[in-house]
Amino acid sequence: MRPTVNKKLELDTPCLVLDLDILEHNIHKMQATVTRAGKSLRPHAKTHKCSALARMQLEAGAIGVCAAKLSEAEALVEAGLDDILITGPVVTPYKLERLVGLAGRSPSLKVVLDHADNVTLLDRKLGERGLSMGVLLDLDVGLHRTGVKPSKALALANGIIASPNLRLLGVQAYAGQAQHIRSYAARKDTSLHCLQDAVDIFRELRTRVPTCISLSTSGTGTFDIDLEIEEISELQVGSYVLMDTEYLDIGSASSPAHFAVFEPALRLLTTVVSASHTDFVTVDAGLKSLYRDGGIPRLAGPAPAALEYTWFGDEYGMIRATGDSPLPAPGTVLELLVSHCDPTVNLFNDYYLTRGGEVVGSWPIDLRGCSQ
Ligand SMILES: Cc1ncc(COP(=O)(O)O)c(C=O)c1O
């Protein structure tokens, strides 16, 4: 086993590093903005997959967390967290058994529903165990991934209301298609337009069902836009806490070409392992440590700005100099901003925590691989 390392650039690579100063900045900035708007924050743990980080978000004021999958929720409950919303449908009898078992351990657990069959099955399974559960109606606001169509939403809601073991707590409306639109103005138009269905349906249900008080929505790209919508009660943002180049490169309210609100807390360290060519060197981070989505990872930290990463197979990447910049020597550790944070995080077991150049701890990525 490797001895404890105190300096960031002495960590074994490839590895993931969290800059705690930036992480805290992102957490507090989002929380303060949401609180100031009179809303609640329920950050999505699918991004960081780490119960210790979720706990930090809760300590900063979040009311609960989101999980994408049942197995993520199970890991969060195992870690002692509660008030978890599972944001995707859980439909098979096997998983519903597990869901109901988890609800027995964690009574504040909530799940979304988007189909009448699912309503019937979940209600029956809960009844068999003498339990009840809070649910949100998952509304399709244009992403078409999950969610009931707006035209069928009230019929589905009626089915939930009529189910003795289900409590309708609200509506979930995630407009994933809006999140990465580059122009802030176009993103604003899209988000406000597609969330109108959610607002109308939520209003109608709120007047009929006393427990229906939650309109849970939003992602990092539209967080400030959606806060303007009066009916929205909670934001389920995820990526803001870590950030990636896919998000850094969209416009924001104050900057047309840069998302100038949150900073990249997540870094991947990689080492130059071969330097036999005049125009590039090879580093030890490839497709098995960087998810290939959302563009190309970008050099950060003290590296010259004129160095560029290119994909170079499963285990390796290529670093080219774009100008006259000298190429780094073998053994040099470079810092990358990742292109898409969620699936990259899922490739690692741990985060190393740093302040400045010092390593101050580590957190297990305990929800890693929880894709079921
Ligand atoms: C249902 C749901 N809610 C919220 C989020 C958070 O979005 P973001 O990471 O863009 O903040 C996601 C991300 O995919 C999601 O699927």
Side-chain angles (χ1 to χ4, degrees):
M1 183 136 167
R2 191 185 158 86
T4 308
V5 164
N6 298 319
K7 300 282 174 213
K8 176 166 84 173
L9 296 184
E10 289 173 7
L11 285 165
D12 202 6
T13 65
C15 68
L16 286 184
V17 161
L18 281 182
D19 183 312
L20 282 184
D21 292 333
I22 299 178
L23 188 83
E24 287 162 5
H25 164 84
N26 290 347
I27 288 175
H28 292 296
K29 186 157 192 181
M30 180 62 88
Q31 185 63 55
T33 310
V34 171
T35 304
R36 211 178 311 120
K39 318 275 190 198
S40 301
L41 182 62
R42 182 183 294 281
H44 216 308
K46 77 186 273 294
T47 304
H48 52 69
K49 286 191 162 273
C50 173
S51 58
L53 209 167
R55 202 176 288 284
M56 203 166 157
Q57 292 171 309
L58 290 164
E59 282 165 4
I63 56 161
V65 290
C66 294
K69 298 291 183 80
L70 172 61
S71 58
E72 284 184 350
E74 287 171 332
L76 290 167
V77 170
E78 196 57 41
L81 277 68
D82 60 12
D83 207 336
I84 297 156
L85 168 65
I86 302 176
T87 60
V90 177
V91 300
T92 59
Y94 168 64
K95 277 216 178 79
L96 285 166
E97 282 288 338
R98 270 169 49 192
L99 177 68
V100 170
L102 195 63
R105 286 173 63 195
S106 180
S108 56
L109 181 70
K110 305 172 230 322
V111 71
V112 300
L113 295 169
D114 74 354
H115 198 278
D117 293 352
N118 198 199
V119 171
T120 309
L121 261 178
L122 178 58
D123 185 55
R124 188 186 310 147
K125 293 266 180 217
L126 286 161
E128 285 165 10
R129 301 242 198 143
L131 294 170
S132 69
M133 199 172 166
V135 300
L136 274 73
L137 180 141
D138 185 17
L139 187 73
D140 181 3
V141 287
L143 182 58
H144 307 322
R145 182 178 66 183
T146 66
V148 63
K149 287 185 179 164
S151 58
K152 306 223 163 110
L154 290 178
L156 183 68
N158 287 338
I160 296 173
I161 295 162
S163 303
N165 307 308
L166 301 177
R167 270 170 288 120
L168 182 63
L169 300 182
V171 173
Q172 169 182 272
Y174 174 62
Q177 76 279 18
Q179 299 308 318
H180 290 93
I181 296 175
R182 278 185 182 250
S183 146
Y184 183 77
R187 194 172 344 123
K188 183 166 182 168
D189 277 356
T190 305
S191 193
L192 295 181
H193 180 258
C194 66
L195 288 177
Q196 192 55 48
D197 276 334
V199 167
D200 295 343
I201 288 162
F202 175 67
R203 271 196 187 153
E204 158 92 28
L205 292 173
R206 191 175 56 179
T207 55
R208 286 170 46 201
V209 186
T211 57
C212 184
I213 52 169
S214 206
L215 178 51
S216 186
T217 179
S218 208
T220 299
T222 60
F223 85 100
D224 53 344
I225 296 164
D226 301 342
L227 283 176
E228 291 177 19
I229 300 175
E230 193 195 317
E231 287 76 6
I232 286 178
S233 63
E234 63 178 42
L235 299 198
Q236 19 174 280
V237 285
S239 301
Y240 77 97
V241 73
L242 302 183
M243 291 300 286
D244 51 31
T245 61
E246 200 180 13
Y247 258 134
L248 288 166
D249 291 346
I250 64 170
S252 50
S254 61
S255 165
H258 180 60
F259 198 72
V261 193
F262 304 103
E263 300 296 327
L266 180 71
R267 313 291 168 99
L268 182 131
L269 299 188
T270 184
T271 304
V272 177
V273 291
S274 186
S276 305
H277 300 269
T278 51
D279 53 345
F280 72 87
V281 296
T282 302
V283 291
D284 63 0
L287 293 170
K288 288 183 184 169
S289 31
L290 285 161
Y291 195 78
R292 189 175 185 158
D293 186 26
I296 291 172
R298 190 175 306 150
L299 269 294
L307 292 181
E308 259 181 22
Y309 179 93
T310 313
W311 304 106
F312 210 1
D314 296 344
E315 281 82 14
Y316 300 103
M318 179 189 283
I319 300 288
R320 284 185 186 280
T322 54
D324 294 336
S325 217
L327 285 164
T332 307
V333 175
L334 299 171
E335 212 170 309
L336 295 174
L337 305 183
V338 310
S339 49
H340 189 175
C341 53
D342 309 37
T344 298
V345 164
N346 200 41
L347 299 170
F348 287 86
N349 292 328
D350 301 285
Y351 293 113
Y352 290 95
L353 311 177
T354 63
R355 283 201 198 273
E358 304 292 316
V359 179
V360 296
S362 67
W363 283 335
I365 301 174
D366 47 347
L367 278 57
R368 180 195 178 177
C370 291
S371 57
Q372 294 182 323

